[in-house]
Amino acid sequence: MPHDPAPSLLYDTPTAAPAAPPRPATGAAFDWIDTARGERRRAGLVRTLRPRPADSPLLDLASNDYLGLARHPEVVHGAAEAAYRWGAGATGSRLVTGSTELHAQLERALAEFCGFEAALVLSSGYAANLAAVTALTAPGTLLVSDAGNHASLIDGCRLSRARTEVAPHADPEAVRAALTGHDGRALAVTDSVFSVDGDAAPLPALADACRSRGAALLVDDAHGLGVLGDGGRGALRAAGLAGDADVVTTVTLSKSLGSQGGAVLGPARVIEHLVNTARTFIFDTGLAPAAVGGALAALRLLEREPQRAARAREVARELHTRLTAAGLAAVRPDAAVVSVRAPSPEAAVRWAADCRAAGLVAGCFRPPSVPDGISRLRLTARADLTDDQIAAAVGTIVATAPPV
């Protein structure tokens, strides 16, 4: 028999010199974090996590649960039933194993409810905005972005490699001017309702500005779905733009629908393009079945109870009326967000803390979360708030207000 050389080759092979032991860790690589932390503390911009209990005794005017559906029995049952049937996770990306029949059902329901040809569900509203902006642009595309846009739209512009021009807030003529003279693809992007002050974008005028220059319009309707439009069908429906061939919208399932996830809605050819090119869709795990089931149940409930949208707007107007009557600088709401100005970041933090101590949770927005640098309490109206709860909330906010 021929000799097998493998053993001798194995043992005759020179061994590498042993590696030197690693140097002792000093932590110096992250010393810059201590400097940054000190700067945040001096500026009054330190943020902390506050895990809440399952049954909090506090009155909530901080969450985005505009219709009060996050704990609604039908929505919770829809989530639980979906998890029981489909499992805890989607198991893979949407293009591999992460698309269930439930995902397709929700996409059809969203498109029909909002008045668009097709829809695509993603794992978050943030991912939906990144998908839409990056997939609909390329180097050489002109992006015109409103100065008050959400961070997810801003990040989409940064990742797109397109040329981005920031237009003054809610200024259609500035958008028209930015588009003038550009030869090639162009896309204007805007929130429908801006999350800081709750003001609405002038969508018909923006659409006209885009069409005069052959540009497309992308609208993030995260704060409009469930609140604006006929029965909560969204800001695009209210503006008469839903389903138009040059309009795309994104929505989140985590606000009015009380669940989690996001979606892009628009012409079928746009949605098919995203399926093939949008990185936050292709390379991300699909939305968990429980979130899909919860959102679908919430959508069905809203179809059956369209008055919830009107009630959310009514509560917002009532909060604004009472706060301004008390002398506070509250911004008139166009949807369900009510912003109340504070004299400084430190005052805003202290105001929110005093409200919490008195039994009320209020959002606190400070730089860099606010584009204008003005700190404020951000209150969210909910359709399930009673008149007594509204009165109690206003009383607490007024009683704890910092001196101007």
Side-chain angles (χ1 to χ4, degrees):
M1 280 180 76
H3 177 65
D4 182 0
S8 61
L9 288 174
L10 174 64
Y11 292 110
D12 291 345
T13 303
T15 57
R23 298 174 185 269
T26 64
F30 292 127
D31 283 352
W32 60 270
I33 289 179
D34 299 328
T35 302
R37 179 175 57 187
E39 292 172 353
R40 284 194 299 270
R41 192 172 302 280
R42 285 188 293 274
L45 299 178
V46 174
R47 290 162 167 78
T48 57
L49 293 173
R50 292 190 180 91
R52 61 179 173 86
D55 295 307
S56 174
L58 302 177
L59 179 59
D60 172 24
L61 261 70
S63 75
N64 292 316
D65 187 18
Y66 297 136
L67 303 184
L69 297 183
R71 299 181 74 97
H72 192 285
E74 290 186 29
V75 177
V76 174
H77 178 75
E81 185 179 44
Y84 184 80
R85 180 177 183 188
W86 297 100
T91 76
S93 70
R94 289 289 309 275
L95 289 171
V96 184
T97 59
S99 287
T100 69
E101 295 171 5
L102 203 61
H103 288 78
Q105 190 176 353
L106 176 59
E107 287 165 344
R108 289 192 297 269
L110 280 170
E112 181 179 354
F113 182 79
C114 296
F116 284 84
E117 192 173 11
L120 185 67
V121 167
L122 292 92
S123 61
S124 71
Y126 211 111
N129 275 342
L130 293 184
V133 176
T134 58
L136 296 178
T137 57
T141 302
L142 173 61
L143 260 170
V144 183
S145 176
D146 189 286
N149 278 345
H150 188 265
S152 55
L153 287 177
I154 295 171
D155 287 351
C157 293
R158 290 170 175 169
L159 291 170
S160 69
R161 296 176 295 164
R163 178 166 68 89
T164 300
E165 291 194 19
V166 179
H169 179 53
D171 188 341
E173 290 310 308
V175 172
R176 190 189 306 271
L179 293 169
T180 299
H182 175 73
D183 184 20
R185 286 161 54 182
L187 177 71
V189 295
T190 182
D191 287 1
S192 65
V193 177
F194 295 90
S195 61
V196 174
D197 275 337
D199 58 316
L203 294 182
L206 285 171
D208 183 72
C210 289
R211 288 167 181 171
S212 71
R213 300 294 183 264
L217 177 63
L218 170 63
V219 180
D220 176 359
D221 202 23
H223 298 276
L225 176 65
V227 177
L228 299 179
D230 177 31
R233 285 174 168 77
L236 280 300
R237 185 69 169 258
L241 299 173
D244 285 2
D246 54 355
V247 174
V248 175
T249 188
T250 58
V251 298
T252 178
L253 314 178
S254 63
K255 293 180 172 58
S256 288
L257 299 185
S259 183
Q260 192 169 351
V264 183
L265 295 84
R269 62 177 177 172
V270 169
I271 300 307
E272 189 271 341
H273 177 71
L274 263 66
V275 169
N276 285 276
T277 62
R279 294 173 66 84
T280 53
F281 174 80
I282 296 171
F283 297 105
D284 194 16
T285 298
L287 184 62
V292 178
L296 190 55
L299 197 61
R300 288 168 173 163
L301 194 152
L302 180 56
E303 288 182 303
R304 195 172 69 249
E305 300 179 5
Q307 69 275 11
R308 286 179 178 266
R311 174 58 181 170
R313 299 194 302 270
E314 178 187 351
V315 171
R317 289 192 298 267
E318 184 65 18
L319 286 169
H320 172 259
T321 298
R322 295 191 183 204
L323 291 168
T324 52
L328 297 179
V331 179
R332 182 183 64 83
D334 287 329
V337 173
V338 181
S339 174
V340 190
R341 302 292 177 90
S344 68
E346 296 84 356
V349 172
R350 190 163 54 249
W351 196 359
D354 290 344
C355 284
R356 176 179 287 271
L360 172 71
V361 183
C364 178
F365 275 32
R366 303 163 285 157
S369 300
V370 288
D372 56 10
I374 299 174
S375 298
R376 66 261 278 166
L377 291 190
R378 177 184 178 273
L379 312 174
T380 50
R382 294 205 328 269
D384 59 341
L385 288 178
T386 66
D387 292 341
D388 288 344
Q389 287 174 320
I390 295 170
V394 170
T396 298
I397 294 166
V398 172
T400 56
V404 179

